[in-house]
Amino acid sequence: MRIPSSTPGNRKRRGRIAALLAVLSLLTVAAAGTAQASTGSGGRSGGGATLSDSVVRTIDAQADAARAGTAPVHGRLAQAPQWAKTAAHHLRTTGSALITDDTRPTTGSGEPARITVPGGDMTVRQLMRKAAAARGPEASATAPAPAAANADDDMTVNECVNNHGAYGRGQGYGKTRFVSCQAQRLHMLYVDCWWFGINCRVKAAADVTVADIRYTENAGKGSSGRYFWNYQFLSGFHVWGDLSKLSLTVDESCTAQTVSGHASGPCTGSDGPTTKSLAAWYAEAEIFGGITWTVHDWEQPASAGWGPDRLSYARLRWHYRVKGSEVSIHPDGPPAQVRCDSAAYLRADAGEGCVFPWVTETMWFSLAKQGGSAQNVKAGLYSPASTKPPKAGKSIPGRPGTTPLHRTRDTTQVDAHRAQAVASCDTYFPGYRAKKEQCDEFPFASTLEGATPALNYSVKAISRSDNASGGAVEKNFWTLRRIIADDADKVNDPFWVDVRA
């Protein structure tokens, strides 16, 4: 009821009521602090009012109402009570919170949850073609699509967000040396608080699934160019309330890295951060069936590199910001390394290029195509005791998931490995030359793990055609997958070997 102020009595009553309200306010603040001290819950202490458990319960109730459809809803608010409570415990006053959750979602039984995001079954190239069709011919010129060395060097958003390696604080899921990704979920919350933070109301909230898919490439036979790309895909929107209250900035940074005392030159390029209201992000995603994205592209030219192969290294990191954010938990992603080179022994057939050097790939041999060479590799990997030369407890490296092999171009080492292997062939396959056969060795002579007097290798006399076919597999793999052998700087890329039918 409104109290008139026209009489002295009314003015006295107003004074008493104001005093009472002030006392109640102080008592409420004190009670909230006591509850936090006794339970360990509540907001961050110091620097202003905090959110008490009662306020947290209010926020949870509003989030539950959004899930139940009894409040204005756009889509569904996923896991609202859990993350709204987390944010509320950190907020101190009116403002926004951003929580980047880099753990893979699980089901109620703790099993990994299968995530299916709208538009997530299309590869980047397919999405770029869809964008060009929707936005007109002009879009195709502004939507870069990296070249693929083979069909495996591409990825869908669903593939990224459903791979366990994409989550956490590591470098991400490295599918190949030319495509990798990191996945996370963004939880955003806008809270309007008054009465020293005692009363608060959730004005807007959102969950967004993000996949950062990164690409590198070979420039092409004899060509120049050391480029790499990052696509930040936003999908799986679950939003509630007044989305104009939330403004999301999406960005990716590229920072030159010093490795083994060698400094790399700067990254050039990128389109910088993109800032839009969440309503705008949501509306743009609806155009493409529930998914939208930003693109960043960089170059580290040969002038940025060092050593005979002009190696340069950089770290890529994602960044997310919410305007007016009072709390940001993990707003910056863990770094993922990229490396570029201008190695002359790769440039003739693959050109300059870049890779994710932390990804170890497998060189595949085929029993049908490489015959005797593939048989020798298979025996060495899976039944070393049956191989020549004989040795008790023989262990041959190179099988996927075990100790990898490392390429070398040191001619002294290569010649020593080959001489050791040929001596073994002469001992255990006498007369093979007269049969027009050749000596095949595994591990290969051009690896640091090649044949030595330790006898952890396998030799076999095979046909010239099988030996030539096996040699072609090695050369193509090393070249097209950019396997560096900079012996002077001890940069010898690892790889595995395996055999299929």
Side-chain angles (χ1 to χ4, degrees):
M1 181 180 70
R2 182 175 180 268
I3 301 174
S5 58
S6 57
T7 67
N10 287 338
R11 284 196 293 271
K12 289 180 182 178
R13 282 193 294 272
R14 284 189 63 202
R16 287 195 296 270
I17 291 171
L20 178 61
L21 289 174
V23 172
L24 287 173
S25 175
L26 291 173
L27 290 173
T28 307
V29 171
T34 302
Q36 291 163 30
S38 62
T39 65
S41 60
R44 184 184 297 160
S45 62
T50 57
L51 296 183
S52 66
D53 285 345
S54 62
V55 176
V56 171
R57 286 193 292 272
T58 301
I59 292 173
D60 284 347
Q62 293 178 32
D64 285 337
R67 294 182 70 193
T70 56
V73 177
H74 302 276
R76 283 283 179 228
L77 190 61
Q79 299 181 338
Q82 178 182 350
W83 69 262
K85 184 173 182 178
T86 302
H89 275 306
H90 288 80
L91 279 174
R92 294 176 294 177
T93 184
T94 296
S96 305
L98 169 66
I99 305 171
T100 303
D101 185 355
D102 54 19
T103 59
R104 185 176 178 183
T106 57
T107 63
S109 61
E111 295 296 319
R114 173 69 187 176
I115 305 171
T116 303
V117 301
D121 285 328
M122 289 187 286
T123 67
V124 168
R125 292 172 185 83
Q126 291 170 334
L127 282 167
M128 292 306 103
R129 287 194 293 269
K130 184 173 182 178
R135 295 171 175 169
E138 192 175 317
S140 60
T142 58
N150 63 44
D152 291 331
D153 297 326
D154 207 349
M155 189 184 297
T156 68
V157 174
N158 279 338
E159 181 180 0
C160 175
V161 300
N162 284 288
N163 189 285
H164 184 74
Y167 297 89
R169 306 303 290 177
Q171 299 198 75
Y173 162 45
K175 182 179 181 181
T176 73
R177 289 165 68 85
F178 294 93
V179 59
S180 68
C181 84
Q182 292 175 324
Q184 47 298 145
R185 290 173 294 157
L186 302 185
H187 305 313
M188 291 164 279
L189 183 73
Y190 182 85
V191 177
D192 185 18
C193 296
W194 63 99
W195 276 99
F196 308 102
I198 302 305
N199 292 305
C200 294
R201 178 174 296 170
V202 177
K203 292 290 188 178
D207 276 357
V208 180
T209 298
V210 181
D212 283 56
I213 301 181
R214 299 169 175 133
Y215 289 88
T216 59
E217 69 168 4
N218 291 321
K221 192 171 184 177
S223 299
S224 301
R226 298 158 42 131
Y227 301 102
F228 42 99
W229 293 262
N230 178 73
Y231 293 79
Q232 292 177 288
F233 291 99
L234 284 72
S235 59
F237 285 78
H238 297 266
V239 298
W240 172 76
D242 182 1
L243 300 187
S244 66
K245 296 289 187 182
L246 292 169
S247 178
L248 176 64
T249 298
V250 177
D251 196 13
E252 179 94 359
S253 64
C254 178
T255 306
Q257 184 183 9
T258 297
V259 174
S260 301
H262 299 284
S264 301
C267 308
T268 60
S270 179
D271 296 328
T274 302
T275 301
K276 300 176 185 177
S277 71
L278 199 63
W281 285 112
Y282 184 72
E284 186 172 276
E286 290 298 294
I287 297 174
F288 298 101
I291 191 167
T292 186
W293 60 89
T294 63
V295 182
H296 303 270
D297 56 282
W298 289 277
E299 178 184 14
Q300 272 197 312
S303 59
W306 48 267
D309 297 336
R310 308 307 298 166
L311 301 177
S312 65
Y313 292 80
R315 293 182 182 273
L316 302 176
R317 298 186 74 182
W318 48 257
H319 309 279
Y320 299 102
R321 297 289 186 274
V322 173
K323 183 179 179 181
S325 179
E326 293 292 320
V327 176
S328 291
I329 302 175
H330 294 157
D332 304 302
Q337 188 182 67
V338 62
R339 184 191 71 200
C340 299
D341 73 83
S342 302
Y345 50 90
L346 302 179
R347 186 164 183 170
D349 292 319
E352 294 181 316
C354 306
V355 296
F356 300 109
W358 45 276
V359 179
T360 301
E361 288 195 7
T362 300
M363 177 192 298
W364 284 95
F365 278 70
S366 165
L367 290 170
K369 295 178 180 179
Q370 281 76 52
S373 183
Q375 292 168 10
N376 189 36
V377 171
K378 184 177 181 180
L381 293 175
Y382 294 98
S383 54
S386 68
T387 65
K388 305 296 183 184
K391 178 192 175 182
K394 180 187 287 190
S395 176
I396 298 178
R399 191 173 72 240
T402 67
T403 303
L405 304 181
H406 300 80
R407 185 184 183 186
T408 180
R409 297 180 69 250
D410 183 331
T411 55
T412 300
Q413 269 197 305
V414 173
D415 290 345
H417 294 161
R418 189 157 286 133
Q420 176 76 28
V422 169
S424 294
C425 279
D426 289 339
T427 300
Y428 297 101
F429 301 97
Y432 73 92
R433 290 185 180 86
K435 300 176 184 177
K436 297 184 177 181
E437 293 179 330
Q438 295 180 337
C439 182
D440 183 69
E441 75 275 5
F442 181 78
F444 317 119
S446 295
T447 65
L448 297 178
E449 296 76 17
T452 69
L455 304 184
N456 288 314
Y457 62 92
S458 172
V459 295
K460 182 179 177 67
I462 64 175
S463 69
R464 292 180 178 179
S465 59
D466 284 354
N467 200 24
S469 181
V473 169
E474 294 174 45
K475 180 183 177 183
N476 289 338
F477 178 83
W478 285 335
T479 300
L480 297 180
R481 310 313 291 176
R482 306 204 74 83
I483 305 299
I484 289 292
D486 180 356
D487 294 282
D489 294 301
K490 300 188 184 312
V491 182
N492 302 88
D493 281 351
F495 63 96
W496 290 307
V497 186
D498 210 345
V499 181
R500 53 192 166 199

